[in-house]
């Protein structure tokens, strides 16, 4: 059996097993909700009819419990069998992770439980890598030379956001920023894919190691590096720079620009709301299963609570503590230009709805790195506001590209 066949089969089996196991877990959760509700109902009935309600409750509990257990056990058994024997015929032997739709499905799963997949050694927990046409590249001299025959000394690294892949930059099936920067400014673009369910600091460390290898084995001398990240990708970029600086990695000395597009540097309101909601739902037996589901969210999502970039923010801490500990403030690198784009769904960022919702995912103060209590250190002149726009508009927008041209400069200006 060839390597492509092995990869395709392992990913298909892992997806099927995960789907069936989740069905089993859902059945168990629904069963616990059903039981909690029925306990309250029978408690009320018992107040009226006394001990006569006991036989009916016992019969109900036995039948309903058996039904939910049967569904859950059957699904888990099916998952186990699928994980060992399932295969789908394919004439091309292309793994799901190397197709656009398959990669997006896996990215969504990774965003939700990618840290668990990694701890279990699942083939769905893909390591951070450069991708070309969906295929992961090894950062060795031969592979890089073959993949980038016209490699230049100016590199721009693109980092997608939560539950995204490198294909997100092709929004609207239009040429990407990377493709256009190659034509207009002579940059060589590297499209990175990573497991967004891992801790941001773990992905930052992986990115640092990758860029160290790229710098060492690049076909020509690396002159400069620019990092462009959407949403979580902007945080991964900052984390990688911090880790590389502390480890004295050679690549970080070539970084000239770090650009974040809609990145939650001060945290994301949706994750903050879920953090408190999960604690509240745990208080009642009827909603405890829902709380458990919310608390299964990945380490990467939890890091978005305050925009955590380093290990110290999560190591030896209770992730479900109601009052999250303050995150570490990570200084910006000297000599590097940090640029940012914020957005609001309203034309004016001062509009009440714009203040409340921002771009739908990230508020303007968080994207621009400053509020009443925290200040990242971005300069106003290195920022841009896009309106009206949503969180994903900035992935491929003409105004943003014009700013990238301005920020990254022209070859003649170097």
């Amino acid at each position: 059996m060839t390597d492509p066949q092995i990869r395709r089969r392992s990913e298909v089996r892992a997806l099927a097993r995960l789907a069936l196991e989740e069905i089993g877990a859902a059945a168990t959760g629904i069963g616990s909700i059903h039981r909690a509700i029925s306990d309250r109902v029978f408690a009320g009935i018992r107040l009226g009819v006394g001990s006569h309600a006991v036989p009916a409750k016992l019969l109900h509990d036995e039948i309903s419990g058996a039904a939910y257990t049967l569904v859950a056990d059957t699904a888990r058994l099916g998952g186990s069998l699928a994980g060992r024997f399932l295969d789908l015929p394919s004439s091309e032997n292309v793994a799901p992770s190397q197709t656009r739709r398959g990669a997006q499905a896996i990215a969504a799963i990774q965003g939700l439980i990618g840290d668990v997949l990694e701890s279990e050694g699942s083939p769905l927990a893909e390591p951070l890598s450069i991708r070309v046409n969906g295929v992961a590249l090894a950062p060795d001299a031969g592979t890089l030379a073959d993949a980038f025959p016209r490699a230049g000394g100016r590199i721009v690294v693109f980092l997608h956001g939560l539950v995204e892949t490198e294909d997100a930059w092709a929004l609207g099936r239009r040429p990407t920023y990377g493709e256009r920067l190659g034509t207009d400014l002579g940059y060589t673009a590297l499209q990175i894919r990573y497991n967004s369910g891992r801790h941001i600091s773990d992905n930052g460390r992986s990115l640092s190691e990758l860029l160290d290898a790229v710098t060492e084995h690049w076909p020509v001398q690396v002159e400069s590096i620019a990092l462009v990240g959407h949403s979580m990708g902007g945080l991964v970029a900052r984390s990688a720079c911090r880790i590389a600086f502390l480890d004295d990695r050679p690549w970080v000395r070539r970084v000239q620009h770090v650009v974040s597009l809609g990145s939650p540097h001060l945290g994301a309101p949706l994750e903050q709301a879920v953090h408190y909601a999960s604690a509240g739902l745990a208080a009642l037996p009827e909603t405890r299963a829902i709380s458990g589901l919310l608390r299964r969210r990945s380490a990467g999502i939890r890091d978005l609570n305050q925009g955590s970039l380093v290990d110290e923010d999560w190591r030896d801490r209770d992730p479900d503590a109601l009052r999250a500990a303050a995150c570490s403030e990570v200084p910006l690198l000297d000599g590097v230009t940090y640029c940012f784009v914020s957005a609001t769904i309203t034309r004016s960022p001062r509009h009440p709805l714009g203040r409340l919702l921002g771009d739908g995912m990230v508020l303007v103060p968080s994207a621009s790195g400053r509020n009443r209590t925290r200040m990242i250190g971005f300069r106003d002149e290195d920022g841009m506001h896009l309106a009206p726009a949503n969180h994903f508009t900035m992935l491929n927008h003409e105004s943003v590209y014009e700013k990238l041209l301005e920020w990254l400069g022209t070859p003649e200006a170097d």
Side-chain angles (χ1 to χ4, degrees):
M1 187 180 296
T2 65
D3 286 345
Q5 286 177 312
I6 294 173
R7 177 180 292 276
R8 175 181 57 79
R9 181 170 293 181
S10 64
E11 289 184 5
V12 168
R13 289 178 175 178
L15 285 167
R17 179 174 183 171
L18 181 63
L20 289 167
E21 287 180 345
E22 289 301 310
I23 291 173
T28 300
I30 293 170
S32 67
I33 294 173
H34 183 153
R35 180 63 177 267
I37 294 173
S38 68
D39 284 348
R40 287 194 185 275
V41 171
F42 278 108
I45 294 174
R46 189 170 183 176
L47 290 175
V49 301
S51 60
H52 296 292
V54 172
K57 183 181 187 307
L58 292 175
L59 181 61
H60 168 273
D61 290 349
E62 185 68 25
I63 294 174
S64 62
Y68 286 116
T69 299
L70 177 63
V71 173
D73 288 350
T74 301
R76 292 189 179 106
L77 176 60
S80 177
L81 294 174
R84 295 175 60 189
F85 303 114
L86 181 67
D87 192 16
L88 297 177
S90 172
S91 59
E92 299 180 355
N93 285 325
V94 177
S97 63
Q98 296 177 352
T99 67
R100 186 168 65 88
R101 291 184 178 179
Q104 183 55 67
I106 293 173
I109 295 169
Q110 288 176 343
L112 296 173
I113 56 170
D115 53 339
V116 175
L117 296 177
E118 183 179 49
S119 68
E120 294 175 346
S122 170
L124 301 180
E126 305 165 303
L128 182 146
S129 62
I130 302 168
R131 294 277 171 161
V132 174
N133 296 324
V135 178
L137 301 185
D140 58 68
T143 301
L144 294 174
D146 290 341
F148 302 98
R150 302 177 63 183
R154 295 151 60 91
I155 296 175
V156 57
V157 180
F158 286 91
L159 297 150
H160 60 75
L162 178 71
V163 303
E164 295 175 354
T165 71
E166 72 281 1
D167 193 61
W169 298 102
L171 182 69
R173 301 294 103 195
R174 298 188 297 272
T176 65
Y177 295 147
E179 292 168 339
R180 299 177 69 181
L181 286 171
T183 301
D184 296 339
L185 295 182
Y187 275 92
T188 302
L190 302 184
Q191 300 287 352
I192 305 298
R193 185 190 300 178
Y194 64 94
N195 174 356
S196 61
R198 301 172 77 207
H199 278 294
I200 287 171
S201 58
D202 287 337
N203 279 319
R205 186 169 295 103
S206 295
L207 178 61
S208 177
E209 293 169 355
L210 175 68
L211 292 181
D212 222 16
V214 167
T215 303
E216 180 181 355
H217 299 301
W218 196 241
V220 300
Q221 181 68 32
V222 176
E223 302 168 12
S224 68
I225 297 175
L227 304 175
V228 180
H230 175 243
S231 196
M232 180 187 281
L235 304 185
V236 173
R238 286 184 56 213
S239 178
C241 287
R242 178 60 175 172
I243 290 168
F245 173 77
L246 294 176
D247 293 344
D248 195 25
R249 298 275 188 171
W251 73 268
V252 78
R253 295 193 287 272
R254 294 173 171 83
V255 175
Q256 294 185 2
H257 296 86
V258 176
V259 182
S260 55
L261 311 180
S263 296
H265 297 287
L266 306 182
L270 183 57
E271 158 55 21
Q272 293 163 357
V274 171
H275 180 74
Y276 284 101
S278 64
L281 292 170
L284 295 174
E286 293 89 343
T287 55
R288 201 161 290 150
I290 300 175
S291 172
L293 179 63
L294 293 178
R295 286 181 169 176
R296 288 184 62 200
R297 67 194 188 279
S298 68
I301 292 178
R302 290 176 181 273
D303 283 345
L304 297 180
N305 189 291
Q306 298 186 67
S308 297
L309 305 182
V310 295
D311 296 348
E312 290 75 16
D313 287 347
W314 54 266
R315 184 175 290 152
D316 300 325
R317 292 185 178 180
D318 177 8
D320 294 317
L322 192 57
R323 294 182 61 83
C327 71
S328 305
E329 296 297 354
V330 174
L332 305 181
L333 296 179
D334 291 336
V336 175
T337 301
Y338 286 81
C339 309
F340 67 90
V341 176
S342 62
T344 50
I345 59 174
T346 56
R347 292 190 178 277
S348 170
R350 296 182 178 85
H351 190 284
L353 196 58
R355 289 177 179 270
L356 179 64
L357 299 179
D359 63 15
M361 300 291 287
V362 177
L363 303 184
V364 171
S366 189
S368 58
R370 68 179 65 128
N371 60 19
R372 295 180 179 179
T373 59
R374 295 176 62 190
M375 184 172 294
I376 301 299
F378 299 153
R379 303 187 308 173
D380 288 338
E381 56 266 38
D382 296 323
M384 170 192 176
H385 184 74
L386 190 64
N390 62 50
H391 189 63
F392 301 100
T393 303
M394 60 189 79
L395 279 163
N396 200 335
H397 192 281
E398 189 63 32
S399 296
V400 174
Y401 181 67
E402 290 174 0
K403 268 296 181 181
L404 286 175
L405 288 176
E406 177 186 328
W407 287 330
L408 302 189
T410 61
E412 292 77 12
D414 291 345

